């Protein structure tokens, strides 16, 4: 009689001799390790990005090369220097390392900040802007006029993003008859630059598209840097189709915004570049009534002149 095959070892069985812990236990252990490393540094040097206030506390990221760490200055530690930090400034930060156990994220609890000057990216940004200015790309005289009522608007953005929905909604709320063509592009990361260039070029070649829009939602300063790339700015400048750029939140400003023919603050403002259909219909009705009144007055005057001429004759 054949022997029954042995029961296969399950994944659970493999844990029998293993050391197992929960996520909470692991993060608690990591928290002890992080706090024990407190004396590792006096100051950490990096560039400020995404500086903001949240519930009275100041948050910002400290970036260097491809690394980043979050920093928090609690309300009672805030100073004029901490409050006045600008994205791109290079600083030296003193503080205590802390691990937020629920998320396993490490931060520096800031006790002091020393400004060191322009950060490396800020210097690079200034060089890019100076080169664009020298070539006339920021001059208003080169900006194209937008069509008064575009029939088809081409949008370059992430196809599955809120920015896409916000832009299309803002367009159709003002004029539902305008056609919209979306060309997907990554708006951050390694694929952002090539896909943005591809999307702009493809829609610029489309004879049906009479207005181009490049847009994305807000984010950390580092995620918007592709929109400061000289190659992207020059492509935007060289489009034959008038182009609108709307990047990030209201406070965000990129070189792509400055090179474009027109800037809108956010994706939800994209619709502002076209007139409202209701307003156009109202204006049309006003013009019709004005023409009818003018015709009636002209006809009446001509009849009266003819009648007087006949009487005189």
């Amino acid at each position: 009689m054949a022997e029954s095959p042995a029961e296969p070892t399950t994944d659970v069985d493999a844990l029998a001799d293993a050391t197992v812990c929960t996520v909470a236990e692991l993060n608690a252990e990591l928290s002890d390790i992080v706090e024990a490393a407190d004396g590792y540094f006096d100051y950490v040097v990096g560039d400020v990005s995404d500086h903001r206030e949240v519930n009275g506390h100041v948050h910002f990221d400290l970036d260097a090369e491809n690394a980043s760490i979050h920093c928090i200055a609690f309300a009672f530690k805030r100073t004029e220097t901490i409050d006045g930090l600008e994205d791109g400034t290079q600083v030296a930060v003193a503080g205590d390392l802390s691990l937020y156990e629920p998320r396993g994220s490490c931060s520096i609890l800031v006790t002091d900040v020393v400004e060191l000057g322009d950060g490396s990216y800020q210097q690079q940004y200034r060089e890019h802007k100076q080169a664009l200015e020298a070539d006339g790309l920021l001059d208003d005289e080169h900006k194209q006029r937008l069509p008064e009522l575009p029939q088809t608007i081409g949008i370059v953005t992430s196809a599955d993003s809120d920015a896409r929905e916000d832009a299309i909604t803002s367009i159709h709320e003002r004029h539902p008859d305008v056609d919209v063509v979306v060309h997907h592009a990554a708006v951050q990361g390694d694929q952002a630059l090539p896909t943005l260039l591809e999307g702009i070029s493809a829609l610029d070649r489309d004879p049906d598209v009479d207005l181009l829009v490049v847009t994305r939602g807000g984010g950390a300063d580092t995620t918007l840097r592709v929109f400061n790339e000289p190659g992207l700015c020059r492509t935007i400048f060289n489009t034959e189709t008038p182009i609108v750029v709307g990047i990030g939140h209201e406070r965000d400003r990129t070189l792509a915004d400055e090179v474009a023919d027109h800037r809108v603050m956010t994706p939800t403002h994209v619709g502002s570049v076209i007139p409202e259909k209701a307003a156009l219909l109202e204006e049309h009705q006003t013009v019709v009534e004005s023409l009818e009144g003018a015709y009636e007055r002209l006809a009446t005057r001509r009849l009266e002149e003819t009648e007087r001429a006949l009487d005189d004759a």
Side-chain angles (χ1 to χ4, degrees):
M1 182 175 179
E3 295 182 3
S4 300
E7 290 292 327
T9 301
T10 65
D11 291 339
V12 174
D13 294 334
L15 298 177
D17 298 323
T19 301
V20 180
C21 70
T22 66
V23 172
E25 291 168 340
L26 174 63
N27 284 355
E29 185 73 20
L30 289 173
S31 180
D32 292 339
I33 294 172
V34 168
E35 291 180 7
D38 238 1
Y40 177 72
F41 67 90
D42 292 322
Y43 284 88
V44 180
V45 175
D47 297 349
V48 174
S49 69
D50 200 22
H51 180 273
R52 65 199 184 281
E53 180 182 325
V54 181
N55 298 326
H57 312 302
V58 174
H59 292 247
F60 60 91
D61 292 332
L62 200 62
D63 304 326
E65 299 175 356
N66 294 321
S68 180
I69 189 168
H70 188 62
C71 299
I72 306 171
F74 291 122
F76 65 93
K77 287 288 186 182
R78 290 176 63 168
T79 64
E80 288 186 7
T81 299
I82 292 173
D83 289 351
L85 288 176
E86 294 184 358
D87 287 353
T89 304
Q90 188 178 64
V91 297
V93 173
D96 303 316
L97 281 175
S98 176
L99 187 95
Y100 182 56
E101 291 185 29
R103 293 186 180 177
S105 57
C106 188
S107 300
I108 298 176
L109 306 183
V110 178
T111 57
D112 186 32
V113 173
V114 178
E115 291 193 35
L116 302 178
D118 290 345
S120 56
Y121 185 77
Q122 199 170 46
Q123 295 173 9
Q124 187 182 64
Y125 172 90
R126 187 179 296 108
E127 291 171 1
H128 291 337
K129 185 172 183 178
Q130 289 173 347
L132 295 174
E133 285 178 331
D135 292 341
L137 272 68
L138 305 185
D139 295 346
D140 288 341
E141 64 189 74
H142 297 309
K143 297 188 183 302
Q144 301 183 78
R145 291 186 60 183
L146 304 188
E148 292 185 6
L149 180 57
Q151 301 301 305
T152 302
I153 297 178
I155 300 179
V156 180
T157 192
S158 175
D160 57 355
S161 65
D162 290 340
R164 169 187 172 275
E165 290 295 326
D166 291 344
I168 293 175
T169 299
S170 68
I171 291 169
H172 284 160
E173 281 181 346
R174 291 177 65 86
H175 206 300
D177 299 331
V178 174
D179 292 330
V180 176
V181 178
V182 176
H183 194 293
H184 170 73
V187 291
Q188 65 186 61
D190 293 340
Q191 292 302 307
L193 183 57
T195 55
L196 285 167
L197 294 176
E198 177 189 353
I200 293 170
S201 298
L203 291 178
D204 190 35
R205 293 192 302 267
D206 189 334
D208 294 329
V209 174
D210 43 16
L211 179 63
L212 264 171
V213 174
V214 178
T215 189
R216 67 151 282 174
D221 175 64
T222 52
T223 67
L224 302 179
R225 289 180 177 177
V226 66
F227 296 96
N228 294 324
E229 286 292 324
L232 178 62
C233 292
R234 293 182 185 280
T235 297
I236 289 172
F237 179 80
N238 289 324
T239 57
E240 295 183 7
T241 310
I243 188 165
V244 174
V245 171
I247 304 299
H249 301 301
E250 293 184 14
R251 65 182 178 86
D252 295 321
R253 186 87 183 197
T254 67
L255 292 177
D257 288 304
E258 300 193 38
V259 172
D261 298 313
H262 185 78
R263 176 197 180 232
V264 294
M265 290 185 291
T266 67
T268 55
H269 290 89
V270 169
S272 65
V273 301
I274 60 173
E276 289 184 286
K277 182 177 181 179
L280 289 177
L281 291 174
E282 184 177 344
E283 182 181 350
H284 176 265
Q285 184 60 33
T286 300
V287 171
V288 168
E289 291 174 357
S290 177
L291 285 173
E292 288 177 346
Y295 176 78
E296 185 176 348
R297 289 192 297 275
L298 176 62
T300 300
R301 187 172 70 252
R302 291 287 176 83
L303 287 172
E304 289 174 350
E305 290 173 352
T306 301
E307 185 175 0
R308 284 196 297 273
L310 288 172
D311 289 342
D312 293 343

